[in-house]
Amino acid sequence: MTTHLTHWGAFEAVSDGERLTRVRPWRGDPEPMPLIENVASAQHHPTRIFQPYVRRGWLEQGPGAPGRGADSYVPVSWERATDLLAGELRRVYGEFGPEAVYGGSYGWASAGRFHHAQSQVHRFLNCLGGYVRHVNSYSMGTSTVLLPHVLADLYWLLQQGTSKSVLVEHTELVVAFGGLSPKNSAVTPGGVSRHHARGWIAAARARGCRFVSVSPLRDDMPEEAQAEWIAPRPGSDAALMLALAQVLDAEGLADTDFLDRYTVGFDRFARYLRGADDGVVKDPDWAAAITGVPAGRIRELAREMAAARTFVTVSWSLQRAEHGEQPVWLGVVLAAMVGGIGVPGGGFGHGYGSTSSVGEPARQVSVPRLPQGENPVQTFIPVARVADMLLDPGAEYDYDGRRLVYPDIRLVYWCGGNPFHHHQNLARLREAFARPDTIVVHDPFWTSTARHADIVLPSTMSVERDDYGAGDNDRMFFPMPALTRPHGQARDDYSILAGVAEKLGIGKEFTEGRTAAEWLRHLYDQWHGGLGHTDVPDFEEFWAGEGFELGVTDAEQVVFADFRADPEAHPLSTPSGRIEIFSETIDGFGYADCPGHPVWIEPQEWLGSSAAQRFPLQLIANQPHTKLHSQLDVGAHSQSVKVAGREPVRLHPDEAAARGLNAGEVVRIFNDRGSCLAGLVVSDAVQPGIAQLSTGAWYDPDPADASFCRHGNPNVLTADRPSSMLSQGCTGQLSLVQIEPYREPLPELSVSVPPPTV
Ligand SMILES: Nc1nc2c(c(=O)[nH]1)N[C@H]1C(S)=C(S)[C@@H](COP(=O)(O)OP(=O)(O)OC[C@H]3O[C@@H](n4cnc5c(=O)[nH]c(N)nc54)[C@H](O)[C@@H]3O)O[C@H]1N2
Ligand SMILES: Nc1nc2c(c(=O)[nH]1)N[C@H]1C(S)=C(S)[C@@H](COP(=O)(O)OP(=O)(O)OC[C@H]3O[C@@H](n4cnc5c(=O)[nH]c(N)nc54)[C@H](O)[C@@H]3O)O[C@H]1N2
Ligand SMILES: [Mo]
């Protein structure tokens, strides 16, 4: 059997050269995940792209031809496709320059670090003169901007966060905003070898640690935690956290020595808690009316947090929302008020249930990766502003204290992502995608994004090519030799781009004269040579083996321990060198939607807003438990939970009964932006007032109405609205909807078969 790594786990497989005939979890994985079943079952699905295609209208009428998303496709040879693409790139770069090319290409693609699709396309576009890039992510677009102002660089924090093994030993109380969802811990960017979503929680619990899960869904916390479940109205966590802070302050429970020595601005924040300027004391009674959590319970929880060694973790989902800065900032403030930052088992964590990597100790070394070259273009967008950019070239907008201008994009190049999965308000995204002259997509599958492209190039899946990989903070470094030949005429992104580079006369710059196999060896040798220790195998031995362990610097790492020991010698990277409970920098930007200290600001769409009269259910569009985003949605495990082929939506029994809905029937979910079908699952793990429809169903628009998805993609319902002017992050997690029975004949899905071809 040969080992292979995916973002959702490592597996061992047997192949007949064409398909995987046996797959079993990697033997080192203590909690294997059924998501690996999607790989073999999807590999030769009819929606694999067999050969290169060009959209008919574009081929016949040239760049800018209308019809994207509804056209048929013309199969072409690789030679023809490469010629057409090279010609179009020459035209766009020649006439408009690199500022007219959007190459951000956001998306997770596959594990395996050489064939990392984004790195490949970025290197290619850099050889051509550069491109408009994106900054930040859909995952943590809000925190990435906020945290450096108030605590630390986000990626540093994720890498250096206190080890889960330290929490197991020392923590007495975990308060998890957004829970510690076992489904999310299935995944690590770049791959996960050993899953331990449940193991550490069970061990901490056995030692006597208590867990409080603050979440609208009971199953956001594994049963092993035996957690107390507190369910505030979604989007109202900031109010709950302010009240916890108010109790700590009012009852003299705050660690004032810690606040004096390690933080700045508590006094400004305390005025707000006490209502000194607005006359509103942010006490538990105030918060109870907003959150629905009983005031008595809030008061008690604050006391418990002050009395115990408490770890506060805030899931990434809370910042994927309007004013998503506030609950993250308040998580930091609460951890500071109870004095736990820098202490083993205390302090603040971000996303301890959001991926498997968070709370794993940092490795001593990173792993080899393809150099991307230099991008001379300065223009960028915060990633979730893509539709705004395409719809409104020349418009100005605010971002992190700057005034930026959207560029005028002629060509969009997407390789390894699925914006018609990940972006909000998909009907609007389709209008945006109608604007550029040309859209190029590489993907193994006919995703909805591929169906909006002009030039569609079939990529291999990771099981069809040689590579190697290790996930973030994951200790295993695996060789990933190809398990099967490519499907149809698929090529890996590197070969595709090398072919186009050749035609454009930049072949040498892009390939440096190496094949993919030669790159793998070259990058490994270079890395190996730079390590300076001898216990790491050379390439031959590595390639013939089944992976090896990379060392970690400190298995029992405690973040901010050195800062705690000596804040003068080890200041934070914030402007003051301390934790900023009040940020002069953010205050100086003057943004009404993100002032200088954390506050409660009512979102536009939550159960307390007037919009809830028409749309009384809070849609939670969280990550799916049966797949990674939209990847391999046609695979067996993903399909196993669909209801009449539609994505499942979960409702509380009372909400189903109030609408006369029965489990197993197809329902229509709608608001003013759009509607979709979904299959009803009734469960008391979901709070009343909530509809939970995970992301990931391939967008299947009705031919007459792009805002109606027949399959169940929640992003026809979500708002393309930024978190704030500070961060411009994605807010796809929460929106308001209504649900009704669907009485029409069920429409067939078109996204599960290839688009029409000529
Ligand atoms: N409403 C709402 N929306 C959300 C979220 C939410 O919480 N709510 N979450 C957001 C988050 S956190 C994220 S990260 C995004 C995820 O959004 P994406 O990362 O765009 O989603 P994926 O489905 O992983 O898309 C990866 C694509 O790459 C393709 N692919 C795989 N391997 C290769 C390869 O080797 N080469 C090429 N060329 N292609 C390859 C896959 O087939 C797939 O189509 O979604 C965001 N969208
Ligand atoms: N199986 C699987 N795992 C994944 C992924 C996947 O697609 N599939 N995607 C990966 C990626 S790219 C990312 S970025 C991470 C994302 O990690 P997260 O952002 O943490 O994941 P989500 O599933 O979006 O949200 C977690 C939970 O937050 C809760 N929640 C939502 N809104 C609120 C709120 O207002 N208040 C409170 N208290 N809770 C709320 C929801 O009930 C939800 O189940 O997940 C990663 N892990
Ligand atoms: Mo993400």
Side-chain angles (χ1 to χ4, degrees):
M1 299 196 91
T2 308
T3 38
H4 190 78
L5 184 62
T6 69
H7 295 302
W8 49 90
F11 61 77
E12 298 167 17
V14 179
S15 130
D16 62 8
E18 169 103 19
R19 53 188 72 235
L20 308 182
T21 51
R22 244 183 89 203
V23 174
R24 67 170 186 220
W26 178 59
R27 73 198 86 114
D29 191 346
E31 299 176 31
M33 291 280 177
L35 277 76
I36 56 176
E37 290 164 20
N38 287 333
V39 180
S41 50
Q43 191 190 359
H44 297 294
H45 190 269
T47 54
R48 276 303 292 274
I49 307 174
F50 189 83
Q51 68 175 98
Y53 286 89
V54 181
R55 183 168 71 82
R56 184 179 180 169
W58 191 93
L59 195 62
E60 290 173 353
Q61 298 160 46
R68 248 175 230 133
D71 214 341
S72 54
Y73 283 87
V74 183
V76 296
S77 66
W78 272 111
E79 182 60 26
R80 179 96 197 279
T82 312
D83 266 338
L84 287 167
L85 176 52
E88 179 59 359
L89 286 165
R90 199 177 286 118
R91 182 187 77 87
V92 173
Y93 274 90
E95 279 182 34
F96 305 103
E99 296 255 359
V101 175
Y102 182 60
S105 190
Y106 181 80
W108 270 55
S110 287
R113 289 302 87 174
F114 173 72
H115 292 291
H116 179 242
Q118 266 196 52
S119 310
Q120 291 285 349
V121 76
H122 292 166
R123 178 180 171 89
F124 170 77
L125 295 174
N126 282 338
C127 292
L128 272 176
Y131 59 95
V132 173
R133 68 201 154 91
H134 75 253
V135 295
N136 312 335
S137 62
Y138 279 78
S139 315
M140 295 165 291
T142 306
S143 295
T144 315
V145 181
L146 170 76
L147 284 175
H149 291 298
V150 304
L151 183 67
D153 174 76
L154 170 72
Y155 290 94
W156 178 88
L157 180 69
L158 294 179
Q159 205 174 54
Q160 299 298 326
T162 298
S163 301
K164 285 178 279 203
S165 57
V166 173
L167 305 186
V168 168
E169 287 303 313
H170 298 281
T171 308
E172 292 166 339
L173 175 63
V174 173
V175 184
F177 293 90
L180 295 166
S181 177
K183 73 176 168 59
N184 295 81
S185 310
V187 168
T188 281
V192 48
S193 56
R194 297 178 184 90
H195 290 98
H196 19 223
R198 297 169 184 276
W200 76 274
I201 289 174
R205 178 71 205 143
R207 209 211 71 245
C209 177
R210 273 199 332 109
F211 288 83
V212 176
S213 181
V214 183
S215 160
L217 307 178
R218 188 172 57 225
D219 41 22
D220 275 337
M221 184 63 90
E223 278 172 17
E224 286 83 346
Q226 297 166 17
E228 177 188 352
W229 181 24
I230 294 180
R233 292 191 180 100
S236 75
D237 299 68
L240 174 64
M241 294 161 115
L242 283 165
L244 292 168
Q246 191 275 338
V247 176
L248 294 173
D249 178 47
E251 299 192 2
L253 299 172
D255 184 338
T256 47
D257 292 341
F258 184 90
L259 293 173
D260 287 346
R261 184 142 189 233
Y262 299 98
T263 72
V264 294
F266 180 72
D267 47 337
R268 296 285 293 269
F269 175 65
R271 286 182 64 82
Y272 175 72
L273 288 180
R274 296 168 193 163
D277 300 316
D278 60 4
V280 181
V281 182
K282 312 303 176 302
D283 63 11
D285 293 312
W286 167 82
I290 296 168
T291 62
V293 178
R297 185 62 201 109
I298 301 175
R299 197 164 282 119
E300 274 308 314
L301 181 59
R303 293 172 187 153
E304 291 162 23
M305 288 173 71
R309 180 156 301 183
T310 300
F311 188 71
V312 178
T313 172
V314 179
S315 77
W316 301 344
S317 52
L318 267 73
Q319 51 87 65
R320 210 173 301 116
E322 286 179 71
H323 315 302
E325 289 85 359
Q326 307 310 321
V328 176
W329 201 348
L330 282 162
V332 176
V333 170
L334 283 173
M337 288 182 79
V338 299
I341 289 175
V343 169
F348 169 76
H350 197 16
Y352 273 63
S354 298
T355 57
S356 200
S357 47
V358 180
E360 291 301 316
R363 288 192 308 248
Q364 279 162 336
V365 292
S366 59
V367 292
R369 40 180 81 230
L370 179 73
Q372 296 184 13
E374 294 292 323
N375 184 356
V377 174
Q378 297 305 313
T379 309
F380 67 86
I381 54 163
V383 67
R385 299 279 58 80
V386 59
D388 290 358
M389 168 182 74
L390 296 175
L391 288 167
D392 214 357
E396 290 189 17
Y397 65 104
D398 289 287
Y399 169 71
D400 199 17
R402 299 164 66 178
R403 207 71 196 140
L404 300 174
V405 179
Y406 290 122
D408 189 358
I409 297 299
R410 298 295 174 136
L411 184 141
V412 171
Y413 208 124
W414 225 293
C415 184
N418 189 0
F420 280 91
H421 150 72
H422 68 230
H423 197 62
Q424 287 58 62
N425 195 343
L426 292 179
R428 182 170 186 265
L429 182 68
R430 181 187 270 202
E431 285 170 30
F433 261 58
R435 298 295 179 94
D437 294 349
T438 298
I439 292 175
V440 187
V441 168
H442 301 191
D443 205 287
F445 290 88
W446 277 113
T447 61
S448 344
T449 301
R451 292 165 204 244
H452 286 81
D454 304 312
I455 300 178
V456 181
L457 302 175
S459 310
T460 48
M461 284 172 67
S462 64
V463 293
E464 297 165 353
R465 61 198 181 211
D466 290 340
D467 208 339
Y468 39 62
D472 293 354
N473 283 22
D474 194 282
R475 298 194 202 188
M476 284 303 296
F477 185 19
F478 289 107
M480 298 163 60
L483 289 161
T484 74
R485 74 178 77 95
H487 175 90
Q489 299 176 16
R491 293 184 179 174
D492 56 59
D493 298 301
Y494 177 71
S495 321
I496 299 173
L497 296 167
V500 186
E502 199 59 51
K503 299 243 180 208
L504 288 167
I506 52 159
K508 198 89 201 138
E509 286 91 322
F510 181 69
T511 66
E512 297 180 20
R514 292 185 194 95
T515 63
E518 287 163 350
W519 269 109
L520 285 174
R521 180 182 290 266
H522 167 74
L523 293 172
Y524 190 96
D525 286 348
Q526 215 178 32
W527 172 78
H528 189 257
L531 288 180
H533 38 112
T534 48
D535 49 338
V536 171
D538 65 14
F539 185 76
E540 303 294 338
E541 197 191 328
F542 168 65
W543 194 249
E546 295 184 347
F548 68 92
E549 254 348 275
L550 294 160
V552 298
T553 309
D554 175 8
E556 307 293 301
Q557 72 189 21
V558 175
V559 71
F560 304 120
D562 54 354
F563 167 65
R564 175 129 197 162
D566 188 345
E568 276 73 40
H570 303 284
L572 302 184
S573 54
T574 59
S576 62
R578 302 204 212 162
I579 298 163
E580 303 216 349
I581 296 175
F582 181 90
S583 162
E584 296 282 354
T585 310
I586 296 177
D587 185 59
F589 297 155
Y591 299 144
D593 57 8
C594 189
H597 61 76
V599 292
W600 159 247
I601 310 177
E602 241 192 87
Q604 293 183 51
E605 289 189 41
W606 73 300
L607 291 172
S609 59
S610 56
Q613 286 166 3
R614 286 176 61 218
F615 302 114
L617 293 169
Q618 185 93 60
L619 180 76
I620 303 225
N622 60 353
Q623 317 303 308
H625 69 99
T626 54
K627 55 188 169 259
L628 173 68
H629 316 134
S630 70
Q631 294 201 32
L632 311 182
D633 186 27
V634 294
H637 187 56
S638 174
Q639 291 294 318
S640 71
V641 300
K642 304 241 179 188
V643 178
R646 322 293 143 155
E647 201 65 19
V649 60
R650 290 200 300 173
L651 271 187
H652 188 273
D654 295 349
E655 298 289 2
R659 291 167 178 77
L661 302 170
N662 297 307
E665 74 175 286
V666 172
V667 297
R668 179 175 170 269
I669 313 177
F670 63 98
N671 62 19
D672 284 337
R673 286 177 293 267
S675 60
C676 69
L677 301 183
L680 184 65
V681 173
V682 176
S683 166
D684 68 1
V686 180
Q687 279 289 308
I690 306 292
Q692 181 237 325
L693 172 64
S694 296
T695 62
W698 289 359
Y699 170 56
D700 196 358
D702 184 285
D705 177 6
S707 74
F708 173 43
C709 173
R710 298 173 289 192
H711 189 190
N713 185 320
N715 276 325
V716 289
L717 300 159
T718 54
D720 191 356
R721 179 188 291 140
S723 46
S724 72
M725 286 148 91
L726 179 80
S727 56
Q728 297 284 354
C730 156
T731 62
Q733 185 80 195
L734 301 176
S735 44
L736 289 175
V737 298
Q738 178 57 298
I739 300 191
E740 63 180 17
Y742 186 70
R743 305 240 185 263
E744 327 253 317
L746 259 193
E748 274 191 41
L749 295 180
S750 67
V751 79
S752 49
V753 293
T757 53
V758 280

